[in-house]
Amino acid sequence: MDQSKNYKNILKLITFAGQIMLENGAETYRVENTIEYLCRASDIETIDSFATPTGIFICIETSDQKYYTTLKRVRRRITNLSKIYQVNNVSRKFAENKMEIEEALTLLEKINTESSSSKLQTIAAAGFSAGFFALLFGGSLWDGIIALGCGALIQYINTVSKFLDNPPIFLLNLLGGAISAAAAVLFAGILNIGSISGIIIGAIMPSVPGIAITNAIRDTIYGDLVSGTARAVEAILVATAIASGVGVVLNTWFLLQGGFTI
Amino acid sequence: MIQQIAYSFFATVGFAYIFNAPKKSIFLTGLIGSAGWITYAYFHHTYTANILGSFAGALVVAILSELAARQYKMPATVFLTSGIIPLVPGGGMYFTMLELIRRDFDSAMSKGTETIFIAGSIAIAIALGSSLFRVKRRKENQGN
């Protein structure tokens, strides 16, 4: 096969693999490792890859001292562990020379376009985990039930908005926080069922950026300072959005009560 | 105790579904999440040591995830991401920002510091857990 075409195909393969992994929430060091691992199957002299949560740069040096470089922007970031697992499988088989480039590319294309688990299932799962978190953090049974409803509703709104090209993440989180607080005020404040903080804690759990802040510190410990900072900023932004939504609603409620402002 | 195990199991399983984890990993992920939470809860109730508890819980989750990853031939992330969910300080992030919005800077400071420490201890525990396995693997490779 024409050698330079071969290199271009490998570059295409590793960029695509890296892009799928980043878009589906893999850690940056794992993306870089996978890219280097994939290159073991070819006669590439050196490979340098630089992955950040928002983009990926790859440069390969071939045995005849030619350089090929590529840059891929990563715009959407969700967590889909199945896809990370499948890309991992493809890369393992390819690196062990059990797979041709064309076959690997077709498989990656299939992984990329494959739809994730059903929307109803995700909505139900978000509801249940919100409910059980309310219970886990010491809420009453009513707190759990109301949090279940809220969590499912917030997930439903997030799912629907995925059809937009560029979903307004900040506004969605703000809305999620406001919905949780509104439900808490309605049930605990007015109808006297459950407790305000118990409901809110459970309901916002599926959207709060606990994983993001932990990964930010983990990236920083590994020396990936750029992605660490990027993830930390993202986590703070999401937390601010949720807290603003909750804050606005609670503030209004306490004002209407004639009491103190929060 | 049994309640806590059940609650943390189902909360973790819920997240595994949200994150679209491979089907055959989900049950085990739930157990890993419970194991981490129980470890944390032990330190929390016995010594009221939240940060140490988070560290110990995350270390348990990290080691179990690495073991499960080898058993099932999946990346450890599959188990880790959902498994540490009960431990991660999402609530802490939220309370920090809420106190800032309330302009109660003292509470925001103490909540924020605790959140960063907890997130840091979890991150260190995960790094420690997975590097233990990396050292082991390198030794095995040298043996061959």
Side-chain angles (χ1 to χ4, degrees):
Chain A
M1 190 201 268
D2 178 20
Q3 202 57 19
S4 80
K5 185 164 181 278
N6 193 13
Y7 286 131
K8 277 176 188 158
N9 268 341
I10 285 186
L11 196 58
K12 194 175 162 190
L13 174 73
I14 59 182
T15 314
F16 197 24
Q19 185 198 351
I20 296 176
M21 290 183 80
L22 273 181
E23 281 182 348
N24 291 293
E27 308 95 316
T28 45
Y29 81 89
R30 185 180 298 281
V31 174
E32 290 170 0
N33 280 352
T34 305
I35 287 167
E36 279 155 31
Y37 191 66
L38 278 167
C39 287
R40 280 190 205 167
S42 61
D43 60 339
I44 289 167
E45 192 86 343
T46 53
I47 159 94
D48 260 310
S49 64
F50 178 53
T52 74
T54 49
I56 178 169
F57 312 81
I58 301 169
C59 181
I60 55 178
E61 185 190 348
T62 64
S63 45
D64 52 349
Q65 266 77 52
K66 276 189 183 142
Y67 292 89
Y68 297 91
T69 308
T70 169
L71 157 70
K72 194 82 196 173
R73 179 82 166 85
V74 175
R75 288 186 194 281
R76 99 203 150 103
R77 281 180 301 285
I78 53 166
T79 308
N80 188 329
L81 298 172
S82 255
K83 291 194 178 181
I84 299 176
Y85 162 60
Q86 285 170 305
V87 173
N88 196 53
N89 275 350
V90 171
S91 81
R92 181 181 297 156
K93 280 195 186 132
F94 183 78
E96 288 168 357
N97 286 318
K98 285 180 188 163
M99 200 183 269
E100 292 299 315
I101 288 191
E102 284 75 18
E103 193 190 349
L105 273 171
T106 332
L107 272 175
L108 287 183
E109 187 63 50
K110 208 179 122 203
I111 294 169
N112 190 35
T113 48
E114 186 184 69
S115 64
S116 45
S117 59
S118 79
K119 290 177 196 73
L120 198 66
Q121 203 179 27
T122 320
I123 291 165
F128 272 101
S129 52
F132 280 110
F133 267 116
L135 296 174
L136 192 62
F137 295 145
S140 66
L141 187 61
W142 278 115
D143 290 346
I145 292 169
I146 297 159
L148 188 151
C150 275
L153 179 62
I154 295 168
Q155 183 68 30
Y156 172 74
I157 294 170
N158 284 341
T159 315
V160 169
S161 72
K162 273 193 190 133
F163 295 111
L164 298 172
D165 277 341
N166 200 356
I169 309 283
F170 189 88
L171 287 179
L172 284 173
N173 283 315
L174 193 99
L175 185 65
I179 289 173
S180 314
V185 164
L186 176 68
F187 284 100
I190 299 173
L191 301 174
N192 223 359
I193 308 169
S195 68
I196 288 190
S197 60
I199 295 170
I200 294 179
I201 292 284
I204 60 168
M205 231 6 234
S207 22
V208 291
I211 289 279
I213 192 70
T214 307
N215 280 343
I217 295 179
R218 189 146 64 114
D219 278 348
T220 314
I221 291 174
Y222 284 139
D224 294 331
L225 305 180
V226 173
S227 42
T229 317
R231 284 193 205 280
V233 171
E234 191 178 30
I236 291 172
L237 194 69
V238 171
T240 312
I242 297 172
S244 311
V246 173
V248 166
V249 173
L250 281 189
N251 217 344
T252 316
W253 164 244
F254 286 129
L255 272 179
L256 289 177
Q257 289 282 85
F260 51 95
T261 61
I262 62 164
Chain B
M1 173 79 174
I2 290 169
Q3 266 185 342
Q4 295 267 306
I5 293 177
Y7 293 162
S8 52
F9 176 82
F10 285 113
T12 311
V13 165
F15 263 92
Y17 270 107
I18 299 174
F19 291 155
N20 201 21
K23 292 280 178 291
K24 57 182 173 175
S25 75
I26 286 179
F27 181 75
L28 193 58
T29 308
L31 293 182
I32 291 174
S34 291
W37 176 259
I38 290 302
T39 313
Y40 164 79
Y42 172 74
F43 281 93
H44 175 72
H45 289 300
T46 321
Y47 308 107
T48 57
N50 288 346
I51 295 167
L52 182 63
S54 301
F55 178 81
L59 195 59
V60 167
V61 172
I63 291 173
L64 290 178
S65 298
E66 293 283 343
L67 288 174
R70 268 144 198 77
Q71 189 67 32
Y72 282 71
K73 297 220 180 313
M74 289 178 183
T77 326
V78 170
F79 301 96
L80 202 58
T81 310
S82 316
I84 58 168
I85 278 283
L87 299 171
V88 295
M93 278 299 276
Y94 157 73
F95 277 120
T96 306
M97 288 304 158
L98 191 65
E99 300 294 353
L100 276 181
I101 288 167
R102 288 169 63 167
R103 273 172 280 168
D104 184 346
F105 297 112
D106 288 343
S107 306
M109 196 64 207
S110 75
K111 275 281 172 202
T113 317
E114 198 189 355
T115 304
I116 296 291
F117 279 7
I118 288 178
S121 67
I122 293 174
I124 293 169
I126 294 170
L128 192 65
S130 55
S131 53
L132 284 177
F133 280 83
R134 248 179 245 172
V135 173
K136 189 165 161 275
R137 208 182 326 162
R138 193 160 296 159
K139 277 194 181 148
E140 280 167 4
N141 288 345
Q142 280 168 355
N144 290 335

